[in-house]
Amino acid sequence: MGGNKPHPRGGLIVGNYCHDLLIKDDVVLAETLGGAVSFISAVLHPLNIPSDYVSKVGPDFAYTNKLNHPPIVSPSHNTTLFHAHFFSEVRREDRILKRIRSCAPISPSDLPDRSDADGAGFSFGMAVGVAGEISPATLEKMVDVCDVVLVDIQALIRVFDEIDGTVRLVSLKESGFAHLLPRIGFLKASAEEAPYVDVEEARKWCCVVVTSGEDGCTVYWKDGEMRISPFPTVQVDPTGAGDSFLGGLVAGLVQGLAVPDAALVGNFFGSLTVGQIGLPEFDSRLMQKVKDEMQRRKTQYDGRDGESRFMKPRGHEQFIASLQAAKLPTSSRPISPDHSMLFLKNSVLEEPIKSVDTKP
């Protein structure tokens, strides 16, 4: 991710797969594969970015045939299950998200040791839990074995009602993870989650990326900030858009792109994901075009390091046009009328969860 050392095992992706049940007006619409790791794998795997995935599921897990990276099966726990409640009528909250079951947490001992990679460790790690499965000790182990760790803030600040599992958010300072902030490389938050982070404080220690849906994203670092352009798209299902964004961001960083260009790749994959139903499928020709464009962009990049890597490099606007050209004609899988029940206002995995938040 900007360095020149060889890293034989690439990345370390940590977070559980889960089952998501979508419920509208008390009627079950669908059950889908959930978990940030599923969306991230959909980006990184076809781009040939080698990574180890550490996830846990129960014997009841229903989507093994959809995975490129099999999880650990915990015989004494069922798969994490979320119920996402949506409503037709106008309500103060857009949705209510509940964790009904939780699989076994991911412990530090579940992670590969640095010695497992011939002493080289991993070039990057991604802490992308959705159900409280990542503890401070596990995140600390990740920063020990990875050169740089990227964290989705939802992995740190979600808490769950003891009675019905309703998801709410707490401030990062209350989460038990705040002491690790100086050791994190990138922290990703949605616009709704950002107030729980204290971006002004966090940016002193790491790069903070705040995603804003159709408005793109904003990158904050110690001495500056920059808004990164979105890609126009027709949204049909926003589930996993933030996860795909994070996968695209990592893909760009692994290719050696400057942070603004890498964030642009993140916006690109986020826009592709919201144009599909459920877990996205990316056409192999499209992915090859993206790989080619990133490689071409890398050859134009001067390899700046330190603070300068956050500055917008020359040709950034041309890179936007190149990615947009790769996106057309769209190669997303077609939308079937049978999938109309999934045209929901909000995502199962993305915020906001307005009615039950605990304000920082």
Side-chain angles (χ1 to χ4, degrees):
M1 311 266 276
N4 296 317
K5 296 186 299 180
H7 298 286
R9 298 188 65 195
L12 176 63
I13 320 299
V14 180
N16 285 348
Y17 295 105
C18 59
H19 294 160
D20 290 335
L21 200 66
L22 310 183
I23 303 168
K24 188 172 184 180
D25 300 330
D26 296 323
V27 176
V28 175
L29 298 181
E31 184 174 355
T32 66
L33 172 62
V37 287
S38 59
F39 289 87
I40 289 169
S41 175
V43 174
L44 298 187
H45 184 78
L47 290 175
N48 300 317
I49 296 175
S51 299
D52 282 14
Y53 289 72
V54 181
S55 302
K56 288 185 177 178
V57 299
D60 63 327
F61 185 61
Y63 300 100
T64 301
N65 63 339
K66 287 182 172 289
L67 302 181
N68 295 310
H69 306 279
I72 300 168
V73 177
S74 177
S76 59
H77 295 78
N78 281 329
T79 302
T80 298
L81 171 64
F82 279 101
H83 286 185
H85 295 265
F86 301 86
F87 310 96
S88 296
E89 64 184 42
V90 176
R91 296 170 61 113
R92 185 168 64 89
E93 70 275 15
D94 291 323
R95 66 163 183 170
I96 296 177
L97 185 63
K98 297 182 178 183
R99 186 188 69 176
I100 305 303
R101 288 197 302 266
S102 180
C103 195
I106 298 171
S107 67
S109 61
D110 293 319
L111 305 184
D113 290 320
R114 179 176 289 271
S115 59
D116 291 344
D118 298 325
F122 298 91
S123 60
F124 68 92
M126 301 179 73
V128 289
V130 294
E133 66 266 32
I134 298 176
S135 68
T138 299
L139 182 56
E140 189 165 9
K141 173 74 175 290
M142 291 185 67
V143 299
D144 284 341
V145 301
C146 301
D147 283 359
V148 61
V149 173
L150 301 93
V151 178
D152 190 329
I153 193 61
Q154 72 177 8
L156 310 186
I157 65 172
R158 280 184 170 183
V159 295
F160 310 90
D161 185 90
E162 293 182 359
I163 297 175
D164 68 358
T166 299
V167 178
R168 59 188 178 88
L169 305 177
V170 298
S171 71
L172 181 60
K173 292 179 180 178
E174 301 173 36
S175 68
F177 291 91
H179 67 286
L180 293 172
L181 194 60
R183 302 181 66 189
I184 292 171
F186 291 80
L187 190 66
K188 175 260 177 190
S190 69
E192 292 77 23
E193 294 164 339
Y196 298 85
V197 176
D198 188 351
V199 172
E200 290 306 311
E201 178 64 25
R203 70 195 292 184
K204 298 175 183 177
W205 303 104
C206 67
C207 178
V208 181
V209 184
V210 178
T211 57
S212 302
E214 63 183 10
D215 294 323
C217 69
T218 303
V219 178
Y220 300 87
W221 65 98
K222 183 178 180 180
D223 297 318
E225 62 188 70
M226 182 178 301
R227 178 167 290 278
I228 308 300
S229 300
F231 287 86
T233 190
V234 177
Q235 177 172 294
V236 296
D237 179 12
T239 303
D243 306 320
S244 294
F245 167 87
L246 198 52
L249 173 69
V250 166
L253 294 174
V254 167
Q255 290 296 322
L257 301 185
V259 173
D261 283 351
L264 193 66
V265 178
N267 284 348
F268 177 79
F269 279 105
S271 73
L272 289 176
T273 296
V274 301
Q276 302 188 42
I277 299 297
L279 189 66
E281 295 177 3
F282 302 123
D283 182 88
S284 59
R285 291 171 294 180
L286 170 71
M287 299 305 273
Q288 186 59 54
K289 288 180 181 178
V290 173
K291 285 193 285 187
D292 292 343
E293 290 300 332
M294 287 195 295
Q295 184 61 37
R296 187 176 299 112
R297 182 63 175 152
K298 179 182 178 181
T299 62
Q300 299 172 357
Y301 177 52
D302 60 16
R304 293 172 294 175
D305 208 349
E307 291 296 312
S308 63
R309 68 194 175 107
F310 293 101
M311 305 308 295
K312 186 180 295 184
R314 289 179 297 177
H316 181 79
E317 286 71 22
Q318 183 179 355
F319 188 43
I320 297 175
S322 298
L323 289 175
Q324 184 64 37
K327 187 178 176 181
L328 300 172
T330 180
S331 55
S332 300
R333 70 179 186 268
I335 301 168
S336 164
D338 294 338
H339 288 138
S340 61
M341 62 184 178
L342 293 178
F343 281 46
L344 300 173
K345 184 176 181 181
N346 290 294
S347 155
V348 174
L349 295 179
E350 297 295 319
E351 300 305 330
I353 310 169
K354 294 180 179 177
S355 65
V356 292
D357 287 349
T358 300
K359 294 299 182 185

